[in-house]
Amino acid sequence: MPPLKCVGTDFRLSPAQTSNNMTLKIQQIPVLQDNYIYLIHDTASTETVVVDPALAEPVLTCLNENGWQLSRILNTHHHADHTGGNLALKQTTGCQVIGSATDTARIPGIDIACGEGDNIKLGQHTIQILDCAGHTSGHIAFYIATANALFCGDTLFAMGCGRLFEGTAAQMWQALKKFTALPLQTQIYCAHEYTAANAQFALSVEPSNQDLLKTITHVEQLRAAQQATVPTTLAQELATNPFLRPNSPEIQTTLNMQGASELAIFTELRKRKNNF
Ligand code: ZN
Ligand code: FE
């Protein structure tokens, strides 16, 4: 296998963000079958963190290529495809591991336990912790307002959402509602490239959504060129992601659930997606 290269953010469903006082660089590393690891580097302080290192080796390669030093690992949840590189990275770089206080027993090498309302500093930037149980009971997300960036692990995907392994549909719905309260231009850095498969399910429940149809064409082009479709944006997801659209009349009609509650519709969508 050729060595993995880290890639910049100059394609995707949303254009790379720019801001005058933006000192953060985000590198996306595709690993395993469909996982993404994210390195976040602050050029002002020269600090670097990594979100969900499934593997250590590609992270070390990316750090070397950029001349960066790793200070922290941020884990969204305990699954091995998000924490598999923790111990090797900690040993090699001396970095600290940050994860959910609910999951101290399951996150390898955890040093700092955190939860809703906690903040982590990255230079001048603040990384806010959002609790988003559902996929797992201790799932958290990392939000950087100054970068318009949300690292949401396996909670929200482009046109999809995470499976409910440990939490309830009500918990997941609450987590998604928390995300939808963020600014529309928020870039959503999902942990998996599931977009093409998610799109087919989305189409099955809302076949005449024009934004969805346009997006699917774009996604097909990106995937044919072996490019990532992630990050996406909140605005994009509100327009195309069935799990964020329980008020869509077409979705309600497809499910034969006109007028049902948002949670009831979300629950039914999640159930159908499991068997899709
Ligand atoms: Zn997971
Ligand atoms: Fe995962």
Side-chain angles (χ1 to χ4, degrees):
M1 212 170 77
L4 286 157
K5 284 263 179 200
C6 44
V7 293
T9 49
D10 49 352
F11 42 85
R12 324 299 144 77
L13 291 179
S14 63
Q17 58 196 321
T18 49
S19 155
N20 287 340
N21 53 9
M22 174 71 175
T23 60
L24 295 185
K25 286 189 170 170
I26 299 171
Q27 295 273 312
Q28 180 181 47
I29 314 175
V31 298
L32 305 176
Q33 195 148 329
D34 49 35
N35 276 80
Y36 288 125
I37 300 174
Y38 297 103
L39 271 84
I40 313 170
H41 175 75
D42 176 45
T43 54
S45 65
T46 75
E47 274 182 73
T48 306
V49 300
V50 63
V51 180
D52 286 353
L55 302 169
E57 208 53 49
V59 174
L60 292 169
T61 303
C62 192
L63 288 166
N64 273 338
E65 281 177 7
N66 287 284
W68 297 345
Q69 276 195 328
L70 188 63
S71 48
R72 284 162 173 173
I73 292 170
L74 311 180
N75 289 133
T76 61
H77 66 293
H78 72 88
H79 287 156
D81 63 320
H82 300 254
T83 59
N86 277 18
L87 295 180
L89 283 173
K90 199 174 163 174
Q91 197 173 24
T92 311
T93 68
C95 69
Q96 287 181 314
V97 178
I98 299 179
S100 166
T102 315
D103 259 331
T104 50
R106 300 194 290 184
I107 291 181
I110 188 167
D111 297 297
I112 300 172
C114 64
E116 181 82 23
D118 285 339
N119 291 325
I120 301 161
K121 279 287 173 199
L122 176 57
Q124 304 275 10
H125 300 271
T126 300
I127 304 176
Q128 293 170 243
I129 312 295
L130 306 176
D131 277 343
C132 49
H135 178 70
T136 67
S137 53
H139 201 298
I140 55 176
F142 304 100
Y143 175 59
I144 312 176
T146 45
N148 278 320
L150 175 72
F151 298 85
C152 61
D154 289 356
T155 299
L156 179 62
F157 296 117
M159 291 178 272
C161 83
R163 279 178 188 265
L164 304 175
F165 285 122
E166 298 172 9
T168 63
Q171 284 177 309
M172 181 62 102
W173 177 241
Q174 210 183 351
L176 296 176
K177 288 291 268 188
K178 204 178 281 185
F179 295 168
T180 60
L182 297 173
L184 289 176
Q185 72 272 23
T186 301
Q187 309 245 342
I188 315 268
Y189 291 87
C190 324
H192 289 273
E193 178 65 54
Y194 288 158
T195 313
N198 287 342
Q200 291 312 308
F201 175 73
L203 193 61
S204 77
V205 293
E206 205 179 18
S208 41
N209 178 338
Q210 293 305 309
D211 291 321
L212 180 59
L213 293 166
K214 262 182 256 165
T215 302
I216 289 175
T217 306
H218 188 207
V219 164
E220 282 167 357
Q221 288 164 352
L222 287 170
R223 295 312 291 155
Q226 293 181 306
Q227 291 192 342
T229 65
V230 176
T232 176
T233 64
L234 181 57
Q236 169 71 27
E237 292 315 300
L238 286 171
T240 60
N241 190 324
F243 295 99
L244 300 184
R245 297 174 56 75
N247 296 311
S248 152
E250 189 177 23
I251 290 179
Q252 294 193 0
T253 303
T254 303
L255 303 185
N256 202 12
M257 290 179 75
Q258 291 93 334
S261 71
E262 291 182 338
L263 174 59
I265 291 169
F266 171 78
T267 305
E268 177 63 20
L269 285 169
R270 188 54 267 179
K271 208 162 79 188
R272 288 192 183 208
K273 176 68 163 63
N274 289 344
N275 304 312
F276 185 71

